[in-house]
Amino acid sequence: ITSAWKFANHLKKNPADFWFCREPHLLFLVCIFFILRNWEKPPFILYEVHDLPRDYFDGVTLWFLKKIKKFHIISITNALTEDLHHKYNIPLENISMFPDGVNLEKFRGDLDREVAKMKFNLDLEKPTVVYAGSLFAWKGVYTLLEAAKITPQAKLVVVGGNENDLKRFREAAKDVANVIVVGYVSHEEVSQYLAAADVLVLPNSAEYRMSEKYTSPLKLFEYMASKRPVVASNLPSVKEILKDGINAYLVEPDDAKSLSEGIVKALEDVRVNAVVQKAYEDVKKYSWDNRVEEIMKVIEPKI
C-alpha cells in the first residue's frame, strides 16, 4: 500500500505515456490512488500476466482494466492467452503473447566445457547433467532425482532453490551418490554451471496448471543460448518453444524412466550438434531487446 501511494505521487509529478506492470495488487492500488490523487484516469496500461488470477484482487485488476479500456495485456503462452480470453472475457485485440527471454551476452554459449568443469571440480570423464532453477514440486525436480538414481553413469548437478526447498531436496538426495546439490548462486555463476553441462534438463511436471500451460521458463531460453543439449518435459507450455528431435529432446513428464532415457539419448545422439545449433539459432529471437521492440510495435499505435 505504501509503495503504491509513492508510485501514484511520483506518476503525478512525472507523467508517463504508459505504465508497465506485472504485479496485479500493486497495479490496482496505484490506479486507485492515482485516480483519487488526480481525479483522472491513468494513462495507457501495459499489464504482463504470468498466470490466471490467483485471488480476488487479481480478478478485480482485470475487471478494472476492462472498465478503463486503455490497456493491453502481455501473456507469456498461447494457452494463457486463450484462457484469459475465454474465462475472463478479455478481447483478443487487447492481448499479445510474448514468451520470456534471455540475455544473450550473459549466456553466450562459447564458454569452454572442460574449463567450467574444472572450476567446479567436476569429473572430466563423467557426463554432467545440470538443472538450474527453483526447487518447487511443479518444476519436476523430484522426478529428476529419481531419474538420477537410474542413470548412475552421469553426475547430476542441481543449482538453485531457497532455504526451505533446499533443505527438503537435500534430505531427499542425501543417499544418491551421483547428485550434487549446489544451492543458490549468483546469476553470473549460473551461466558457468550451464557451460559445465553435457546435458541441461527442464523436467517440469504435468500435474500443475502453471507448469503445463502457463510457464515460460527463463532457464529454457538460458539453456538454449548456452549451446548444450536440452532435455525437457513434453508439455504444451514447453512445446511452444521446443520441438522434439529438432532443437531439444522431449520426454514424458513425471516419468523418471523417460527422463533418464532422454538424458542418455542426448548424450549418445550423433545428431546432437545439429540439435544444439538449431536451439541456439532459435533462441536469438528471444533476446530481451527483441522482446521490447516487438512489444513496442504492438502498443505504440494504441498509446
Side-chain angles (χ1 to χ4, degrees):
I1 292 172
T2 301
S3 295
W5 179 252
K6 290 178 179 178
F7 277 126
N9 283 323
H10 174 82
L11 291 165
K12 169 62 176 177
K13 299 172 184 176
N14 303 273
D17 293 318
F18 70 96
W19 301 349
F20 184 106
C21 188
R22 57 165 288 190
E23 166 49 52
H25 297 184
L26 179 63
L27 177 58
F28 177 69
L29 287 172
V30 170
C31 288
I32 294 301
F33 288 154
F34 185 85
I35 291 170
L36 292 175
R37 177 81 166 73
N38 306 300
W39 293 107
E40 63 182 67
K41 289 183 179 179
F44 190 86
I45 293 174
L46 191 59
Y47 174 35
E48 183 166 325
V49 179
H50 286 225
D51 195 2
L52 291 183
R54 299 155 295 177
D55 58 33
Y56 174 77
F57 282 105
D58 285 11
V60 167
T61 300
L62 287 178
W63 171 86
F64 179 82
L65 290 177
K66 288 191 290 183
K67 288 295 182 183
I68 64 171
K69 298 181 180 178
K70 297 178 0 183
F71 76 97
H72 198 82
I73 288 177
I74 300 300
S75 161
I76 58 171
T77 70
N78 289 316
L80 182 54
T81 299
E82 289 298 315
D83 286 351
L84 286 167
H85 173 57
H86 292 296
K87 296 181 180 181
Y88 291 89
N89 298 313
I90 306 295
L92 286 176
E93 59 265 27
N94 290 102
I95 312 175
S96 295
M97 195 284 287
F98 293 100
D100 275 327
V102 62
N103 182 336
L104 292 174
E105 291 300 316
K106 184 173 288 187
F107 295 88
R108 60 187 185 274
D110 59 0
L111 297 176
D112 185 82
R113 182 185 283 109
E114 288 194 2
V115 172
K117 282 189 176 186
M118 288 188 288
K119 173 180 172 63
F120 300 117
N121 297 315
L122 298 171
D123 190 341
L124 296 179
E125 303 302 320
K126 195 168 189 176
T128 300
V129 177
V130 174
Y131 169 86
S134 301
L135 300 180
F136 307 136
W138 65 268
K139 299 287 189 177
V141 290
Y142 291 94
T143 299
L144 176 58
L145 185 58
E146 293 303 309
K149 294 177 183 178
I150 56 177
T151 321
Q153 68 271 34
K155 178 73 75 173
L156 171 63
V157 179
V158 178
V159 181
N162 62 38
E163 184 176 347
N164 291 333
D165 292 329
L166 267 172
K167 184 177 180 180
R168 284 192 291 269
F169 191 80
R170 282 195 168 117
E171 178 64 23
K174 65 181 181 181
D175 295 324
V176 188
N178 62 326
V179 175
I180 299 173
V181 184
V182 176
Y184 177 83
V185 300
S186 69
H187 203 218
E188 179 180 346
E189 206 167 14
V190 169
S191 66
Q192 296 171 16
Y193 272 104
L194 301 191
D198 294 281
V199 175
L200 297 167
V201 282
L202 183 78
N204 279 31
S205 172
E207 297 178 0
Y208 299 81
R209 179 188 72 184
M210 168 66 81
S211 178
E212 182 184 25
K213 299 174 67 177
Y214 302 150
T215 187
S216 181
L218 295 177
K219 71 171 71 62
L220 168 56
F221 303 101
E222 293 169 356
Y223 284 4
M224 295 169 73
S226 298
K227 292 185 179 178
R228 301 292 185 267
V230 179
V231 176
S233 294
N234 190 5
L235 296 171
S237 58
V238 172
K239 289 193 292 183
E240 290 188 11
I241 309 297
L242 299 182
K243 309 300 178 198
D244 186 36
I246 305 298
N247 60 4
Y249 302 89
L250 300 185
V251 300
E252 288 304 307
D254 308 298
D255 185 329
K257 183 174 183 293
S258 180
L259 181 55
S260 173
E261 290 171 351
I263 291 169
V264 172
K265 183 176 181 180
L267 290 170
E268 297 178 351
D269 188 7
V270 296
R271 294 183 55 256
V272 67
N273 289 337
V275 173
V276 167
Q277 187 59 34
K278 175 60 174 163
Y280 184 69
E281 293 301 320
D282 289 346
V283 82
K284 290 179 182 178
K285 66 183 176 183
Y286 297 111
S287 72
W288 291 122
D289 287 344
N290 284 348
R291 190 177 196 262
V292 171
E293 289 177 7
E294 294 303 313
I295 289 173
M296 291 306 296
K297 287 179 186 177
V298 171
I299 68 165
E300 279 181 336
K302 296 173 176 282
I303 296 175

